[in-house]
Amino acid sequence: MGDAAGSVRIGPARLPLYLGFAATGVAVALPGALLPALLLRWHLGDEQGGRLFLMAWIGSSVGSLLVKGSLRTVILLGSLATALAAIGLGECHGHGADVLMGLYGVGLGMTMTAISLIRQQQAMNWGHAQSGTEMVRLNLLWAIGACAAPSLTVRALTVGAIRPLLFGLAFCFLLLAAWAATLGDVRLISVSVGEVDDAGFLRRVARVFRKVPLGLVLMTLLITGIEASAGGWLATYARRGGHTVVATIAAPTFFWAGLLLSRLFWSVSDKWMSRRMSQAQEVQASLVLMALASVALIASGAPMVVLGAAFCLGFGIGPTYPLLLAWALQFERGGAIFFLAGVGSACLPWLTGAISGAKGSLRVGLVVPMLGTMVMLGIALLGPIGAWAKGLEHGLRRLDTD
């Protein structure tokens, strides 16, 4: 049946894809959990640590743009790139770490995007509702992996043994690459002829600013940056507060657990919650929780306060990004909005490290995600987010009647 059949008849087993996607969650959260050990082992300051996050997230954005054609090949190459970078990071002693983190991000961006597209295309064959359910399921699996990552770093934070952990991660991605090599051809389904967009990528990014409300663009950029900054720096913040290794590991674990539980809660109680508050009110309530948590995180370094603030910050972030993304995609479809979200993920963790290095205080650096939260809350309270939410609801009703 040729390429057309290959683009519709997608038959890889679900379990390896699910395990692979959970592994990407581990891989994304691991650098932040390992950061205290990496800074000590490589004799780096916070500014250099922030640059590592910058390179990783830029790489991830670039990797997502490389996904086209054969998704099997993309998973194979992305997994190999991630494995190679992990091995290199275990051996490099800090030399060339920026380049290796960039490669690490490219591999993860390719792998996460390709797996998401495969599962979305499979689910679309089952119906529109199944597609949404599958995306929720993948996000939950990713969050489970991210939540598990800090607990893997106990030995690394205790004795500085990062090589076994990075080599183990590399082995997992080599297994994923080997499995991908056994797949039949799985091709990316193109949009319909009427929706083909021949504009250059920079023009598509510029078009986002013309079509999507500026406040919504800014909120989408900030929410990913706040997530990346908190997830990346919490372990180091707890460690410098004189906390035990257990408390150091618990800080990012509580953050990712909050994100996981919030997405699980909102996914299973969506109909119940929709009768009590609108989507705009959900975002506003989440941002109030994030603002309070970010202030508490900076105001007190006590272990219980840090853990509680980390959990509440993750719980607030959980439903906010998916809703903002869904609203933005009502104004402009395509990958440019994902790229802009990746810009936030790259810039805010880097800026946090840069300010921390300049001021000699990570607590001062964490003012960056706190201010980002305050800006988002101001937009949510003063901006027309109710109109953005209504646009999404109108679009979903139109889909249901087609």
Side-chain angles (χ1 to χ4, degrees):
M1 296 176 66
D3 289 342
S7 64
V8 177
R9 181 176 50 81
I10 305 173
R14 296 186 200 180
L15 183 60
L17 286 174
Y18 286 158
L19 292 176
F21 206 73
T24 64
V26 173
V28 168
L30 197 61
L34 270 180
L35 188 61
L38 293 176
L39 295 181
L40 182 64
R41 177 184 174 92
W42 293 344
H43 307 290
L44 301 178
D46 287 354
E47 184 178 359
Q48 290 85 359
R51 194 167 62 234
L52 294 178
F53 290 125
L54 177 68
M55 294 301 296
W57 285 105
I58 288 176
S60 180
S61 297
V62 171
S64 67
L65 298 177
L66 297 176
V67 178
K68 53 186 176 181
S70 172
L71 297 178
R72 174 197 63 182
T73 302
V74 172
I75 294 176
L76 174 62
L77 295 177
S79 299
L80 288 175
T82 305
L84 179 63
I87 293 171
L89 289 168
E91 292 286 355
C92 73
H93 301 288
H95 303 297
D98 289 349
V99 175
L100 288 169
M101 285 298 288
L103 179 63
Y104 186 82
V106 169
L108 285 176
M110 294 172 68
T111 305
M112 287 189 293
T113 305
I115 292 176
S116 297
L117 289 171
I118 286 178
R119 293 302 301 147
Q120 184 184 42
Q121 290 181 185
Q122 287 178 326
M124 286 297 288
N125 290 334
W126 308 329
H128 176 72
Q130 286 294 326
S131 177
T133 301
E134 184 60 27
M135 290 302 102
V136 170
R137 185 180 294 127
L138 280 176
N139 274 292
L140 289 175
L141 286 167
W142 186 94
I144 289 172
C147 190
S151 64
L152 301 175
T153 66
V154 175
R155 181 170 174 78
L157 294 178
T158 303
V159 299
I162 67 171
R163 289 176 62 193
L165 183 56
L166 290 169
F167 287 179
L169 181 69
F171 179 71
C172 292
F173 277 90
L174 288 174
L175 288 179
L176 181 61
W179 174 80
T182 68
L183 292 178
D185 194 23
V186 182
R187 303 199 68 80
L188 177 63
I189 297 177
S190 299
V191 296
S192 64
V193 175
E195 294 176 340
V196 171
D197 189 350
D198 293 327
F201 178 72
L202 291 178
R203 289 176 58 191
R204 279 181 275 150
V205 171
R207 192 171 60 196
V208 169
F209 288 95
R210 294 197 304 270
K211 291 192 172 184
V212 183
L214 183 59
L216 182 53
V217 174
L218 184 58
M219 290 180 75
T220 305
L221 187 149
L222 285 173
I223 190 65
T224 56
I226 293 166
E227 177 183 330
S229 189
W233 286 105
L234 268 172
T236 304
Y237 182 63
R239 190 62 168 166
R240 290 188 187 165
H243 300 184
T244 64
V245 171
V246 173
T248 298
I249 295 167
T253 301
F254 271 55
F255 173 76
W256 294 115
L259 188 144
L260 167 65
L261 291 176
S262 68
R263 287 184 176 171
L264 179 62
F265 171 77
W266 290 107
S267 65
V268 300
S269 62
D270 181 60
K271 291 183 179 179
W272 179 80
M273 290 298 298
S274 65
R275 293 194 294 268
R276 287 159 176 80
M277 64 172 62
S278 66
Q279 289 181 335
Q281 290 171 327
E282 290 177 22
V283 169
Q284 289 168 340
S286 295
L287 288 170
V288 169
L289 180 62
M290 288 170 58
L292 293 174
S294 61
V295 170
L297 191 65
I298 294 174
S300 174
M304 295 307 297
V305 175
V306 171
L307 296 183
F311 180 86
C312 291
L313 189 57
F315 197 90
I317 290 172
T320 305
Y321 173 64
L323 284 174
L324 293 175
L325 184 62
W327 297 347
L329 291 174
Q330 293 303 302
F331 294 92
E332 174 65 11
R333 297 177 62 187
I337 192 67
F338 292 95
F339 177 80
L340 290 173
V343 170
S345 297
C347 291
L348 262 67
W350 164 75
L351 189 57
T352 299
I355 292 177
S356 175
K359 299 296 183 180
S361 171
L362 185 51
R363 178 170 293 180
V364 175
L366 287 174
V367 169
V368 171
M370 185 195 74
L371 290 178
T373 302
M374 297 302 178
V375 170
M376 290 186 66
L377 180 59
I379 295 173
L381 294 177
L382 301 176
I385 67 170
W388 305 341
K390 289 179 181 178
L392 174 61
E393 293 167 0
H394 174 72
L396 292 177
R397 285 196 298 269
R398 188 173 65 246
L399 282 173
D400 290 337
T401 58
D402 284 347

